[in-house]
Amino acid sequence: MECISGSEVEDRGHWGSKVEFLLAVAGNVVGLGNVWRFPYLCYKNGGGAFLVPYLVFVATCGVPLFLLETTIGQYTQEGGITCWRKLCPLAEGIGHGGQLILFYSCMTYIIILSWSLFYLAFSFSSQLPWASCSNYWNTDNCVDFSARSNTSEWINQTNSTSAATEFWERRVLAISAGIEEIGSIRWDVLLCLIVMWIICYFCIWKGVKSTGKVVYFTATFPYVMMLILLIRGLSLPGALQGVVFYLLPEPSRLTDPQVWMEAGAQIFFSFSVGVGSLTVLGSYNNYNNNCYKDSLWLCLLNSVTSVVAGFAVFSVLGFMAQEQGVHIDEVAESGPGLAFIAYPQAVAMMPLPQIWSICFFVMLILLGLDTQFVVLEVVMTSVTDMFPSVMRRAGRRECFLLLFCLICFVSQLVMITEGGMYVFQLFDYYACNGTCILFLSVFETLALGWVFGAERLYAIIKDMTGVHANPYFKICWLYLTPLVSLGSFTCSLVQYQPLTFNRWYVYPDWAYILGWVLALSSILLVPGCALYRLGTETGTLSQRFHHLCQSSPDCSLTQEREVELQHMREEALHQFIPN
């Protein structure tokens, strides 16, 4: 039977239809990383050969964790924190750590959306401002590629910068010399940020009732834009060159540990695992929804979208390289550099550049909006489920959501100053990085696979869906996923490189200390919460440990199946309980 916690579960609500759930999850997992990170990583780390470590992490971590988190959400009907109180109270810190990472993500992700809206507004200009050097922010070193036919002259100018780069650095960011020089707020970017927060607020202020309706547009329309850009990109001269560079296999790169680490980090980010997002989205499903089949199809959609986005991006970069007469190495970028320098520069060189610029930034905004308001919904649900008697009264959710948005907004104002890009990179590199998520994933699989029980998870999937899951997932939950996650976490620490900006700016020591405080703030919640719970329980250490490893009595299968699994679960617990 379904986990029950009184009348609150009935008031909690469900998705209006299965389609709403599928679109919400698709909108969450298919985001900016598919467009601006995966294609570059594929090109940089061996082209087609990169698909080998990518698929290894998909099979050992991505899909198993995706299914695991969706399953426990649907089973417990609880958010990212309270689900642990029902399954394994000792591991509640995993939920708190995941929500803290999402809080940091709320602060950084919407900054990207405000930049995208800024570019979208300028895309309606009669001449794209990043297509010429005749603007007040341009310097004498500015080069207008769309107007210059003699690219060799540019190649010989080592101090030259493109018009797109100057627009990004001098007009949008007005970037200072370092994090020590914060400077003033960029008021036009602030206006864009306010607009994006208002949109996000009204997308989710009524919970799944409003979120479920919004995703019909925000999760589907980006695919229309991506298809348009793909067709346009493949029709450009030089597109084939770009696609070849994107997928050209370099098997020798497979011996580089960095390639495998980057493949793992991409999987954890793009599949949105480890932070409780899928748990919350799954918790609004009906108990008998076939989450097993849904998870497999959604994982496939995510990976296919990443590959297709690579064709759309690199076909355009190939065109750009041919037009400039340079190697694609010099135009291929990742992250903000792709979205706000390379791609805008490329569309400025096309006929009817405004149309392609509008398509691109509309796609970016919708991809990011989906992820942003799902992250907000996850945090809201997790907090609401912790205090149901307070938060589920009329108007309380809307007020708390407004307060949370205002806290995020005020906290991120420093990121839209002249030195804000340095702060943004600091949060992105340390607070929201893959190392923290890997740490949470290790303990998530240990808690659910060994303490709660992999056999029990199998029985839950069968009880909910009527389908027997592939035995391979049991092997993953018990062995492969925790081992691969732990190995990746260890390698990320061993291979750690201090953050730099644009390969030349080195942060001051106090900034690195702040970065590590941000990273450790989510990691230390796992042992911290466990020690707190052990310290506040009654009884001997063994009794406390045993009690905190027990799931809630109202989370049970049919009595016959529960009795059948009890012996298996006790054997697993004996490996963890002290004598």
Side-chain angles (χ1 to χ4, degrees):
M1 63 177 62
E2 182 178 348
C3 283
I4 301 173
S5 58
S7 61
E8 292 83 6
V9 172
E10 298 175 357
D11 299 333
R12 194 172 181 272
H14 291 86
W15 296 110
S17 67
K18 185 184 183 72
V19 175
E20 290 183 8
F21 165 70
L22 295 175
L23 291 177
V25 178
N28 180 45
V29 300
V30 177
L32 297 177
N34 300 76
V35 174
W36 75 14
R37 197 164 186 269
F38 175 83
Y40 177 80
L41 288 178
C42 196
Y43 153 76
K44 172 188 170 186
N45 293 307
F50 178 73
L51 295 177
V52 174
Y54 178 83
L55 291 174
V56 167
F57 276 97
V58 167
T60 59
C61 295
V63 179
L65 283 171
F66 195 104
L67 174 61
L68 180 66
E69 294 184 11
T70 307
T71 297
I72 64 173
Q74 184 170 308
Y75 174 61
T76 61
Q77 303 280 288
E78 293 284 351
I81 296 174
T82 48
C83 70
W84 290 104
R85 296 178 180 177
K86 288 181 172 292
L87 300 174
C88 180
L90 188 67
E92 186 181 326
I94 298 171
H96 289 287
Q99 298 309 302
L100 185 57
I101 292 175
L102 290 179
F103 170 68
Y104 294 144
S105 299
C106 283
M107 293 173 55
T108 56
Y109 209 81
I110 201 166
I111 296 289
I112 301 170
L113 299 182
S114 64
W115 291 333
S116 300
L117 182 60
F118 189 90
Y119 270 79
L120 179 62
F122 276 98
S123 297
F124 292 92
S125 305
S126 57
Q127 182 184 31
L128 296 179
W130 55 84
S132 69
C133 294
S134 58
N135 306 287
Y136 70 86
W137 58 82
N138 292 126
T139 65
D140 294 336
N141 294 324
C142 179
V143 178
D144 178 6
F145 291 120
S146 60
R148 292 174 62 107
S149 57
N150 186 8
T151 55
S152 61
E153 184 180 344
W154 167 77
I155 294 172
N156 294 327
Q157 296 178 4
T158 55
N159 293 326
S160 61
T161 54
S162 68
T165 300
E166 292 204 348
F167 179 80
W168 168 241
E169 293 183 351
R170 298 176 63 84
R171 176 65 182 89
V172 180
L173 301 179
I175 193 165
S176 67
I179 196 171
E180 306 93 336
E181 301 176 21
I182 290 298
S184 59
I185 289 177
R186 304 292 297 152
W187 295 105
D188 38 16
V189 179
L190 174 63
L191 179 61
C192 294
L193 183 62
I194 292 172
V195 171
M196 297 314 302
W197 271 118
I198 292 172
I199 293 173
C200 287
Y201 178 83
F202 286 105
C203 279
I204 70 163
W205 71 319
K206 294 296 183 182
V208 291
K209 294 179 181 178
S210 55
T211 306
K213 301 301 181 288
V214 171
V215 292
Y216 277 102
F217 174 73
T218 58
T220 57
F221 197 67
Y223 285 94
V224 177
M225 295 290 97
M226 191 179 297
L227 179 62
I228 293 172
L229 292 171
L230 175 63
I231 294 172
R232 177 54 180 158
L234 293 176
S235 67
L236 293 169
L240 180 59
Q241 175 191 359
V243 171
V244 168
F245 274 106
Y246 166 49
L247 292 177
L248 185 66
E250 292 182 49
S252 60
R253 298 285 290 143
L254 295 179
T255 59
D256 185 355
Q258 187 68 28
V259 174
W260 291 81
M261 285 172 52
E262 292 191 345
Q266 174 65 11
I267 290 302
F268 279 86
F269 274 118
S270 65
F271 278 66
S272 293
V273 294
V275 292
S277 298
L278 297 169
T279 301
V280 169
L281 295 176
S283 72
Y284 287 110
N285 279 331
N286 294 317
Y287 183 75
N288 295 117
N289 175 65
N290 193 339
C291 58
Y292 179 67
K293 183 176 71 173
D294 294 346
S295 297
L296 298 181
W297 279 111
L298 286 165
C299 289
L300 178 63
L301 173 68
N302 184 26
S303 295
V304 170
T305 301
S306 295
V307 175
V308 172
F311 285 99
V313 169
F314 267 83
S315 59
V316 172
L317 297 182
F319 157 75
M320 188 173 169
Q322 178 169 305
E323 289 293 301
Q324 296 178 19
V326 298
H327 195 273
I328 199 169
D329 274 339
E330 300 181 32
V331 295
E333 296 189 57
S334 178
L338 169 66
F340 302 117
I341 298 177
Y343 210 98
Q345 185 173 308
V347 299
M349 301 164 69
M350 300 179 192
L352 302 175
Q354 289 85 355
I355 294 176
W356 310 116
S357 182
I358 291 169
C359 286
F360 180 71
F361 287 109
V362 166
M363 180 186 72
L364 279 191
I365 290 172
L366 291 177
L367 283 173
L369 265 180
D370 258 347
T371 303
Q372 177 71 15
F373 66 65
V374 166
V375 168
L376 284 170
E377 178 61 53
V378 168
V379 175
M380 290 300 303
T381 295
S382 298
V383 173
T384 300
D385 286 347
M386 291 178 68
F387 310 101
S389 60
V390 175
M391 296 297 298
R392 289 183 187 164
R393 295 181 181 179
R396 295 287 179 85
R397 176 194 167 87
E398 291 86 345
C399 291
F400 180 72
L401 175 60
L402 179 60
L403 176 63
F404 182 78
C405 290
L406 287 174
I407 291 172
C408 290
F409 174 74
V410 172
S411 302
Q412 68 188 174
L413 287 178
V414 69
M415 297 186 192
I416 56 172
T417 60
E418 294 170 349
M421 187 61 176
Y422 302 100
V423 181
F424 173 86
Q425 294 279 44
L426 195 70
F427 269 78
D428 185 60
Y429 191 80
Y430 288 99
C432 311
N433 71 1
T435 303
C436 302
I437 300 174
L438 284 167
F439 182 86
L440 298 182
S441 299
V442 171
F443 286 91
E444 179 180 59
T445 48
L446 289 176
L448 293 174
W450 288 91
V451 181
F452 184 75
E455 287 287 349
R456 198 174 183 188
L457 288 168
Y458 262 63
I460 287 170
I461 294 175
K462 175 64 171 64
D463 192 57
M464 292 193 304
T465 68
V467 176
H468 287 284
N470 192 305
Y472 169 75
F473 289 109
K474 178 182 176 182
I475 299 173
C476 288
W477 294 333
L478 288 173
Y479 307 106
L480 293 181
T481 305
L483 286 175
V484 172
S485 300
L486 180 61
S488 301
F489 172 75
T490 305
C491 286
S492 65
L493 294 180
V494 172
Q495 299 286 333
Y496 164 74
Q497 296 289 332
L499 172 66
T500 59
F501 183 76
N502 279 353
R503 301 186 182 91
W504 58 267
Y505 175 75
V506 177
Y507 283 74
D509 291 339
W510 64 265
Y512 291 123
I513 294 173
L514 174 61
W516 276 106
V517 169
L518 292 171
L520 292 173
S521 62
S522 58
I523 289 175
L524 293 180
L525 281 173
V526 178
C529 288
L531 291 174
Y532 174 78
R533 294 299 298 266
L534 283 170
T536 54
E537 286 286 321
T538 57
T540 65
L541 178 61
S542 177
Q543 290 172 335
R544 298 176 193 178
F545 193 90
H546 189 277
H547 179 257
L548 291 172
C549 289
Q550 295 286 337
S551 59
S552 175
D554 56 3
C555 269
S556 61
L557 301 168
T558 56
Q559 290 184 351
E560 297 82 1
R561 185 56 178 155
E562 189 67 28
V563 171
E564 182 183 338
L565 291 171
Q566 185 64 28
H567 178 67
M568 298 179 186
R569 183 170 173 274
E570 288 178 352
E571 288 182 348
L573 277 174
H574 284 317
Q575 301 182 43
F576 289 87
I577 300 175
N579 293 325

